[in-house]
Amino acid sequence: MEKETARIEAFSDAVFAIAVTLLVLELHVPEFNEGKNPAALLHALCAQWPGYVAFIISFFTIFIMWVNHHKLFKQIYKRNTGLMFANGLILFLASLVSFPSSLLSQFFRTPSEQIAVSIYTGMFVLVNIAYNWLWYEACKDNGLLRPGLGAGDIRKIRNDNLYGLPAYLAAFALSFYFPTTALIICLLLWGFWVRSSKKLEIEN
Amino acid sequence: MEKETARIEAFSDAVFAIAVTLLVLELHVPEFNEGKNPAALLHALCAQWPGYVAFIISFFTIFIMWVNHHKLFKQIYKRNTGLMFANGLILFLASLVSFPSSLLSQFFRTPSEQIAVSIYTGMFVLVNIAYNWLWYEACKDNGLLRPGLGAGDIRKIRNDNLYGLPAYLAAFALSFYFPTTALIICLLLWGFWVRSSKKLEIEN
Amino acid sequence: MEKETARIEAFSDAVFAIAVTLLVLELHVPEFNEGKNPAALLHALCAQWPGYVAFIISFFTIFIMWVNHHKLFKQIYKRNTGLMFANGLILFLASLVSFPSSLLSQFFRTPSEQIAVSIYTGMFVLVNIAYNWLWYEACKDNGLLRPGLGAGDIRKIRNDNLYGLPAYLAAFALSFYFPTTALIICLLLWGFWVRSSKKLEIEN
Amino acid sequence: MEKETARIEAFSDAVFAIAVTLLVLELHVPEFNEGKNPAALLHALCAQWPGYVAFIISFFTIFIMWVNHHKLFKQIYKRNTGLMFANGLILFLASLVSFPSSLLSQFFRTPSEQIAVSIYTGMFVLVNIAYNWLWYEACKDNGLLRPGLGAGDIRKIRNDNLYGLPAYLAAFALSFYFPTTALIICLLLWGFWVRSSKKLEIEN
């Protein structure tokens, strides 16, 4: 059976790839004059550390989003309009991810960290909803999935995505009072996505 | 029959994907000092709202352009020079879309809104002409289309694109006197493109 | 016979697509305060005209380079190291094209136009050399070309590229004394590339 | 046997392509006023020379990384989670490469050059480790490689990558005392990668 979603995947790959690469533009090479004094240059480079953290967070966030996108689309063979717009929402959020990440790295450990953490966790509530919507659209009309994909696998993928929702909602709610705890939940969830992508792969 | 247009689609996908992703560069993280005062940070974030609106408008505008491009090229199997240059014009306009969108979000509700709305609607007159040109080139030489595509489908796609032209021209003309009305027509037309892409899909 | 060059084409498509799309970043939306006065906004938009010209020139320059790349690679089925580095040089120049184009649009009709025109025409001497090198590498080892491509077609493609070299060299030499004439030669050559891509297509 | 890694390659191609193209944004067209005086324009263009050098170094660094990526993935037919994350690290470093390159071109021949050279060579220690990790993942589970790839070829690729590690580590260590020597080692290693990619191609 022909895979109808090749061009959707190509377009999505390009959006993820650009989103992942653009952040380097936020890293600035210090001015030439600072070269006269090695200590000043080192200082200028170190002062940029929130930018490095944002770069690393954003890169791996988008990369894991791509890995999961890749896993889901390995099971999706046909498309409908709902699927295209659910995917559109995922890409919209992927291209936006660098903004809350920069915000977080800039304002973490400042009096404003609660705002940054709430925006950051709120973002991932939306990301999770978009992935749930995508899988819902793919399953609703059974013909969209890879022929031969078992009901157990379909349920497993759905559950992995669904279980994320209350976790992200909890992180979002906690972020208003305990920003650090909310962030730790987010980090643990990244570990969960890496693990869940691993299991899916072994099964297929 | 082999699809000769694979590389045109790959190139177009990449252009659409980049155009859709670049706008995030317009969103700026507030300076570090504003982090000392959560209220100031919130204010700085909210003051950027035209940028958020431009980001959303541009993203979905280009995304819908891509969805329609995708639908048309599913029916196009061969290429000629005219087709390549009609496609080139579409890509040119897609890569440009962020500019009138930013303009619109920046100057809407200011004394200059008429200029921004006229440029914005004028842009979509050109986009519509480019899609009509593309389909004209694809149909002119019948051999370019997917073998087995019925005359009714060909006419339906042509009409969907053709009907857009007077609507966009009307929006453009109205924009000089009633900018808000012109914008509402544009928004309704987006709804029309989403709907028209849906119908096309069902038929094939 | 399998096409070994698919990934080279995909990578090249992406480079051309990005090069073609990045220039929109050079167009700046005027500041909000200019919105208070429609005449000031119009003036600010018009003052940017060299940016618009650069955008259009760069876009179509890179687009025509892509069209020709696409035509050459339709005939190339295998790769060697020389081909990969000749292609690398083409991509290097494609990603650079926006710089001399901006320079040209900025300084045309100023006392410095000779410098801008010389850099611009010199750039296309290099572009032409890179295309000639690519085709030389593809032909040198006959097995790289599409089986069944006739000697006449091979020669025709080679000649089209070779004839460009003295023309660009002449434009470059003239640019030091008659910049406007040199630019006209460049424009005429764009017409030639569009035409030559057309003929190639009919023959195959 | 079907190649399971097509989408990983497409994503990687896009990341390399964007990384390679973004650097042109660092080249700035001089301000308009400098056009009144050709000598001032020439001077402003020449003063940007570190930017040109960084552009060329970054372009060819990323291009050679892509060429080697392309060669390795021609032998990899299946994927596992380890492979995806090793590839993710390569892409992370590829998207970062423009930063140490700019740093190097900006501060070479200043009192701070040691810092820039150490960061630059340290970067390539990481790049080398990422390639070694990728190949280790591909070989560990033999089923990931192209069926029919001989043990000699597998070992040859592994050794090419492994031999690079002590060389880059030596360059990194030397960079603290003899920055120029460290850079020369890096340049020689680029020559080695070009050569090694050539030999691999002949053998297969």
Side-chain angles (χ1 to χ4, degrees):
Chain A
M1 190 183 153
E2 199 207 349
K3 211 163 183 308
E4 228 186 57
T5 51
R7 228 191 124 181
I8 302 177
E9 291 174 31
F11 179 69
S12 306
D13 282 351
V15 172
F16 281 115
I18 299 151
V20 112
T21 320
L22 280 183
L23 206 75
V24 78
L25 297 179
E26 302 279 324
L27 302 180
H28 299 295
V29 171
E31 291 300 310
F32 185 72
N33 283 335
E34 297 177 270
K36 289 187 183 145
N37 181 342
L41 176 60
L42 260 187
H43 180 78
L45 287 172
C46 293
Q48 271 197 68
W49 70 266
Y52 308 142
V53 175
F55 184 74
I56 293 171
I57 294 177
S58 298
F59 189 96
F60 286 100
T61 300
I62 300 171
F63 185 71
I64 294 173
M65 284 175 72
W66 176 77
V67 169
N68 279 289
H69 189 270
H70 179 65
K71 299 280 163 72
L72 295 187
F73 268 91
K74 277 200 106 74
Q75 313 304 338
I76 300 174
Y77 270 57
K78 287 189 158 294
R79 58 174 184 74
N80 62 21
T81 304
L83 188 85
M84 290 192 89
F85 284 93
N87 191 48
L89 183 59
I90 290 175
L91 299 181
F92 174 76
L93 295 168
S95 71
L96 190 56
V97 132
S98 65
F99 185 67
S101 299
S102 300
L103 218 54
L104 181 64
S105 69
Q106 185 84 310
F107 297 110
F108 192 60
R109 305 280 83 177
T110 73
S112 302
E113 73 176 350
Q114 178 270 316
I115 295 172
V117 175
S118 295
I119 291 174
Y120 185 79
T121 51
M123 170 87 187
F124 288 104
V125 173
L126 294 179
V127 169
N128 184 269
I129 289 172
Y131 275 91
N132 275 301
W133 180 22
L134 181 81
W135 194 245
Y136 168 78
E137 289 286 346
C139 297
K140 193 181 61 176
D141 182 357
N142 232 323
L144 297 188
L145 293 174
R146 182 167 64 84
L149 184 67
D153 286 335
I154 295 174
R155 213 167 27 236
K156 187 190 168 315
I157 295 173
R158 196 198 53 207
N159 289 349
D160 277 358
N161 283 301
L162 266 185
Y163 294 165
L165 187 54
Y168 280 117
L169 281 172
F172 179 62
L174 276 170
S175 72
F176 290 92
Y177 306 100
F178 310 102
T180 313
T181 317
L183 267 188
I184 291 170
I185 294 177
C186 270
L187 282 178
L188 292 175
L189 282 163
W190 289 128
F192 172 72
W193 295 120
V194 173
R195 243 185 84 81
S196 109
S197 71
K198 199 173 229 142
K199 280 197 226 138
L200 179 61
E201 176 196 8
I202 289 161
E203 280 169 26
N204 294 291
Chain B
M1 189 183 153
E2 200 208 349
K3 210 164 185 306
E4 230 187 55
T5 51
R7 227 190 125 182
I8 301 177
E9 291 174 30
F11 180 68
S12 306
D13 281 352
V15 172
F16 281 115
I18 300 151
V20 111
T21 320
L22 281 183
L23 207 74
V24 78
L25 296 178
E26 301 280 325
L27 302 180
H28 299 295
V29 171
E31 291 299 312
F32 184 72
N33 283 334
E34 298 177 89
K36 290 185 181 147
N37 181 341
L41 176 59
L42 261 187
H43 180 78
L45 287 172
C46 294
Q48 271 197 67
W49 70 267
Y52 308 141
V53 175
F55 183 74
I56 295 172
I57 294 176
S58 297
F59 188 96
F60 286 100
T61 299
I62 299 170
F63 185 72
I64 294 173
M65 283 175 74
W66 175 76
V67 170
N68 279 288
H69 190 269
H70 179 66
K71 299 281 161 75
L72 294 188
F73 268 91
K74 276 201 106 76
Q75 314 303 338
I76 300 174
Y77 271 56
K78 288 188 159 294
R79 57 174 186 74
N80 62 21
T81 304
L83 189 83
M84 291 192 87
F85 283 92
N87 192 47
L89 182 60
I90 290 176
L91 299 181
F92 174 76
L93 295 169
S95 71
L96 190 56
V97 131
S98 66
F99 185 68
S101 298
S102 300
L103 218 55
L104 181 64
S105 69
Q106 185 84 309
F107 296 111
F108 191 60
R109 305 280 84 176
T110 73
S112 302
E113 72 175 352
Q114 177 268 317
I115 295 172
V117 176
S118 294
I119 292 173
Y120 185 79
T121 50
M123 169 88 187
F124 288 103
V125 173
L126 294 179
V127 169
N128 184 268
I129 288 172
Y131 275 91
N132 275 302
W133 180 22
L134 181 80
W135 194 245
Y136 167 78
E137 291 286 346
C139 295
K140 194 180 61 176
D141 182 357
N142 232 323
L144 297 189
L145 294 173
R146 181 168 63 84
L149 183 67
D153 286 333
I154 295 173
R155 213 167 29 235
K156 187 191 167 315
I157 295 173
R158 195 198 54 208
N159 288 349
D160 278 357
N161 283 302
L162 265 185
Y163 294 164
L165 187 54
Y168 280 117
L169 280 172
F172 180 62
L174 277 171
S175 72
F176 290 92
Y177 306 101
F178 311 103
T180 313
T181 316
L183 267 188
I184 292 171
I185 294 177
C186 270
L187 283 179
L188 292 175
L189 281 164
W190 289 128
F192 172 72
W193 296 120
V194 173
R195 242 184 85 82
S196 109
S197 71
K198 199 173 229 142
K199 279 198 228 138
L200 179 62
E201 175 197 8
I202 289 163
E203 278 169 28
N204 293 293
Chain C
M1 189 184 153
E2 200 207 349
K3 210 165 184 306
E4 230 187 55
T5 52
R7 227 190 124 182
I8 302 176
E9 291 174 31
F11 180 69
S12 306
D13 281 352
V15 172
F16 282 116
I18 299 151
V20 111
T21 321
L22 280 183
L23 207 74
V24 78
L25 296 178
E26 301 279 325
L27 302 181
H28 299 295
V29 170
E31 291 300 309
F32 185 71
N33 283 335
E34 298 177 270
K36 289 187 180 144
N37 181 342
L41 176 60
L42 260 186
H43 180 78
L45 287 172
C46 294
Q48 271 197 67
W49 70 266
Y52 307 142
V53 175
F55 184 73
I56 295 172
I57 294 176
S58 297
F59 188 95
F60 286 100
T61 300
I62 300 171
F63 185 71
I64 293 172
M65 283 174 74
W66 174 77
V67 169
N68 279 288
H69 189 270
H70 178 66
K71 299 281 161 75
L72 295 187
F73 269 90
K74 276 201 106 75
Q75 313 303 339
I76 300 174
Y77 271 55
K78 288 189 160 293
R79 58 175 184 74
N80 61 21
T81 304
L83 189 83
M84 291 193 88
F85 284 92
N87 191 46
L89 182 59
I90 289 176
L91 299 181
F92 174 77
L93 294 169
S95 71
L96 190 57
V97 131
S98 66
F99 185 67
S101 298
S102 299
L103 218 56
L104 180 65
S105 69
Q106 185 85 311
F107 296 110
F108 192 59
R109 307 280 81 178
T110 72
S112 303
E113 73 175 352
Q114 178 269 317
I115 296 172
V117 175
S118 294
I119 292 174
Y120 185 79
T121 50
M123 169 87 187
F124 288 103
V125 173
L126 294 179
V127 169
N128 184 268
I129 289 171
Y131 275 92
N132 275 301
W133 180 23
L134 181 80
W135 194 245
Y136 167 77
E137 290 286 345
C139 296
K140 194 180 59 175
D141 180 357
N142 232 323
L144 297 188
L145 293 173
R146 182 168 63 84
L149 184 66
D153 286 334
I154 295 173
R155 212 166 31 236
K156 186 189 168 315
I157 296 173
R158 194 198 55 208
N159 288 348
D160 278 358
N161 283 301
L162 266 185
Y163 294 165
L165 187 53
Y168 280 117
L169 281 173
F172 179 62
L174 275 172
S175 71
F176 290 91
Y177 306 100
F178 311 103
T180 312
T181 316
L183 267 188
I184 291 171
I185 293 176
C186 270
L187 283 179
L188 292 176
L189 281 164
W190 288 129
F192 172 72
W193 296 120
V194 173
R195 242 184 85 83
S196 108
S197 71
K198 199 173 229 139
K199 280 197 227 136
L200 179 62
E201 175 196 9
I202 289 163
E203 278 169 28
N204 294 291
Chain D
M1 190 182 152
E2 199 207 350
K3 211 164 183 306
E4 229 186 57
T5 51
R7 227 191 125 182
I8 301 176
E9 291 173 32
F11 180 69
S12 306
D13 282 351
V15 172
F16 282 115
I18 299 152
V20 109
T21 321
L22 281 182
L23 206 74
V24 78
L25 297 177
E26 301 280 324
L27 302 180
H28 298 296
V29 170
E31 291 300 309
F32 186 72
N33 283 335
E34 298 176 271
K36 289 186 182 144
N37 182 341
L41 176 60
L42 260 187
H43 179 78
L45 287 173
C46 293
Q48 271 196 67
W49 70 267
Y52 307 142
V53 175
F55 184 74
I56 293 172
I57 294 176
S58 297
F59 189 95
F60 285 100
T61 300
I62 300 171
F63 185 71
I64 293 172
M65 284 175 72
W66 175 78
V67 169
N68 279 289
H69 189 269
H70 179 66
K71 299 279 162 73
L72 295 187
F73 269 91
K74 276 200 107 75
Q75 313 303 339
I76 300 173
Y77 270 56
K78 288 190 158 293
R79 57 174 185 76
N80 61 22
T81 304
L83 189 83
M84 290 191 89
F85 284 92
N87 191 47
L89 183 59
I90 290 176
L91 300 181
F92 174 76
L93 295 169
S95 72
L96 190 57
V97 132
S98 65
F99 185 67
S101 298
S102 300
L103 219 54
L104 180 64
S105 68
Q106 185 83 310
F107 297 111
F108 192 59
R109 308 280 81 179
T110 73
S112 301
E113 73 176 350
Q114 177 269 318
I115 296 172
V117 175
S118 294
I119 292 174
Y120 185 79
T121 50
M123 170 88 187
F124 289 104
V125 173
L126 294 179
V127 169
N128 184 268
I129 288 172
Y131 275 92
N132 275 303
W133 180 21
L134 181 81
W135 194 245
Y136 167 76
E137 290 287 345
C139 296
K140 193 181 61 175
D141 182 358
N142 233 322
L144 297 188
L145 293 174
R146 183 168 62 84
L149 185 66
D153 287 334
I154 295 173
R155 211 166 29 237
K156 187 189 168 314
I157 296 173
R158 195 199 52 207
N159 289 348
D160 278 358
N161 284 301
L162 266 185
Y163 293 164
L165 187 54
Y168 280 119
L169 281 172
F172 179 62
L174 276 172
S175 71
F176 291 91
Y177 306 100
F178 310 102
T180 312
T181 316
L183 267 188
I184 290 170
I185 293 177
C186 269
L187 282 179
L188 292 176
L189 281 163
W190 287 129
F192 172 72
W193 295 120
V194 173
R195 243 184 84 84
S196 109
S197 71
K198 199 174 229 139
K199 280 198 228 137
L200 179 61
E201 175 195 8
I202 289 162
E203 279 170 27
N204 293 291

